[in-house]
């Protein structure tokens, strides 16, 4: 980070008492987890994520959609939090009223030291019945050599072996387990296009954004609603918004400071700028 912006962002963070950290897929990119709108790799490159992440896609081809999420879950399992995740945890440690709101379905904030982020779009680790919503067990991961590949390859590399160690079909499809209660297919515990966000999480996010004195938005394209409105709520009520993203987004215009760079570098530098004595991870 160069120029006056990092110092200004550091001043805003040092002055904050109730910040919100709002994260998207770019937060996990340096851990090797592909962003949602990145090109998919391996078996999945011919599919558009926006078309797979829908209830209609699951109804039409449950094994295709379940196989995609299983491959992504295995990729996330192999990923590790990076210094940006630890910098967010350092902010929470310094300012206990911080609220971390994430659109991500991985668990890297938790493993990076933020115990309970507000999850707007669910989790890869909370499968449930598609009919009766009964929670279902997370399938066991196979321990095959292919699963030792880098997390960024997860979408492709984990595909050679299905959960339970059975060889996966070459097209990546994995039949979802049946619900132990009603026998319907189990589905990923994420929020798909056209589905309502969990109301408790959305209420918590809107409440935090309404009462915050700084909103730090990290690694989101801000294209998906209603999540993309969270920074707008904060800005409308007078809180400064600081954005971390290597490229411009629709949020640029409302941001007090735009820090153009990767989260893993910018966030530790921001914590050091705010609190020079801090261990930024
Ligand atoms: C880095 C980096 C580095 C890279 N460091 N940065 C208003 C207007 C228009 C449309 C709508 C609207 N309201 C609702 C809609 C419809 C729809 C929608 O928003 N569509 C848009 C595409 C136009 N929204 C919905 O359908 C929502 N539901 C809804 O509105 O329901 C209404 C309803 C009410 C009551 C009853 C019933 C219904 C649901 C949205 C659910 C989104 N779900 C997904 C999938 C989750 C599961 C999965 O992962 O498969 O969530 S979609 C996907 O997008 C995922 C993400 O969480 C979300 C946001 O993406 P994100 O995080 O911003 O990632 P990317 O990839 O887009 O961007 C990455 C960014 O990182 C980039 O900017 C990079 O530059 C940056 N980056 N490296 C920092 N190292
Ligand atoms: Zn069921």
């Amino acid at each position: 980070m160069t120029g006056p912006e990092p110092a200004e962002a550091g001043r805003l963070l040092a002055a904050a008492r109730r910040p919100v950290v709002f994260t998207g897929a770019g937060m996990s990119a340096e851990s090797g987890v592909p962003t949602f709108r990145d090109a998919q790799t391996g078996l999945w490159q011919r599919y558009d994520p926006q078309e797979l992440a829908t209830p209609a896609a699951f109804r039409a081809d449950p094994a295709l959609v379940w196989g995609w999420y299983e491959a992504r879950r295995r990729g996330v399992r192999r990923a590790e939090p990076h210094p940006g995740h630890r910098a967010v945890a350092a902010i929470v440690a310094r300012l206990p009223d911080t609220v971390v709101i994430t659109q991500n379905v991985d668990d890297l904030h938790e493993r990076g030291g933020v115990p309970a982020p507000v999850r707007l779009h669910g989790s890869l680790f909370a499968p449930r019945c598609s009919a009766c919503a009964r929670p279902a067990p997370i399938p066991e991961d196979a321990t095959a050599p292919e699963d030792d590949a880098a997390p960024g390859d997860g979408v492709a590399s984990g595909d050679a072996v299905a959960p339970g160690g059975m060889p996966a079909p070459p097209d990546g499809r994995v039949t979802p387990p049946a619900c132990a209660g009603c026998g319907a297919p189990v589905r990923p515990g994420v929020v798909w296009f056209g589905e309502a966000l969990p109301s408790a999480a959305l209420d918590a996010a809107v409440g935090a954004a309404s009462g915050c004195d700084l909103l730090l938005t990290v690694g989101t394209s801000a294209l998906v609603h209603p999540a993309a409105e969270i920074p707008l709520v904060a800005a409308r009520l007078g809180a400064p918004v600081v954005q971390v993203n290597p490229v411009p987004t629709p949020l640029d215009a409302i941001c007090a400071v735009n820090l153009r760079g990767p989260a893993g570098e910018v966030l530790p530098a921001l914590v050091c700028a705010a609190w020079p004595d801090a261990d930024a991870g």
Side-chain angles (χ1 to χ4, degrees):
M1 292 195 300
T2 54
E5 296 86 359
E8 174 60 8
R11 273 191 293 277
L12 290 169
L13 181 56
R17 292 295 168 267
R18 301 177 309 282
V20 162
V21 183
F22 175 68
T23 66
M27 181 79 226
S28 301
E30 289 148 275
S31 293
V33 179
T35 67
F36 194 76
R37 282 164 186 79
D38 268 347
Q40 303 290 293
T41 56
L43 291 174
W44 308 102
Q45 61 192 342
R46 62 184 184 277
Y47 297 103
D48 177 355
Q50 288 208 186
E51 285 171 17
L52 288 179
T54 67
F58 186 71
R59 275 195 302 275
D61 194 342
L64 177 71
V65 174
W66 181 258
W68 182 52
Y69 280 95
E70 280 294 280
R72 289 174 56 198
R73 185 180 58 75
R74 291 197 300 277
V76 165
R77 276 243 161 103
R78 288 192 292 270
E80 295 294 337
H82 61 66
H85 291 102
R86 288 190 286 279
V88 174
I91 295 173
V92 175
R94 181 71 69 141
L95 300 171
D97 290 332
T98 303
V99 178
V100 178
I101 302 168
T102 190
Q103 301 167 81
N104 298 343
V105 295
D106 62 49
D107 60 353
L108 292 172
H109 276 308
E110 287 93 330
R111 288 197 270 137
V114 175
V118 175
R119 299 195 148 279
L120 291 178
H121 292 161
S123 166
L124 289 172
F125 299 94
R128 66 173 191 270
C129 175
S130 58
C132 72
R134 175 182 172 134
I138 301 167
E140 274 178 35
D141 287 340
T143 50
E146 288 88 341
D147 274 10
D148 293 335
D153 304 338
V155 185
S157 66
D159 296 334
V161 179
M166 299 296 289
D171 63 359
R173 284 180 169 77
V174 178
T175 302
C179 170
C182 75
V186 168
R187 59 161 283 175
V190 301
V191 181
W192 282 326
F193 287 112
E195 295 184 320
L197 275 58
S199 57
L202 187 56
D203 290 350
V206 172
S210 305
C212 74
D213 52 8
L214 171 69
L215 189 138
L216 182 58
T217 172
V218 184
T220 179
S221 60
L223 294 173
V224 175
H225 294 260
E229 278 137 55
I230 297 300
L232 307 182
V233 169
R236 205 177 302 129
L237 292 171
V241 177
V242 172
Q243 174 166 243
V244 179
N245 199 309
V247 304
T249 79
L251 295 176
D252 280 29
I254 62 138
C255 287
V257 182
N258 280 294
L259 300 173
R260 297 255 189 267
E265 293 173 21
V266 172
L267 290 174
L270 177 60
V271 168
C272 283
W275 305 295
D277 64 317
D279 176 2

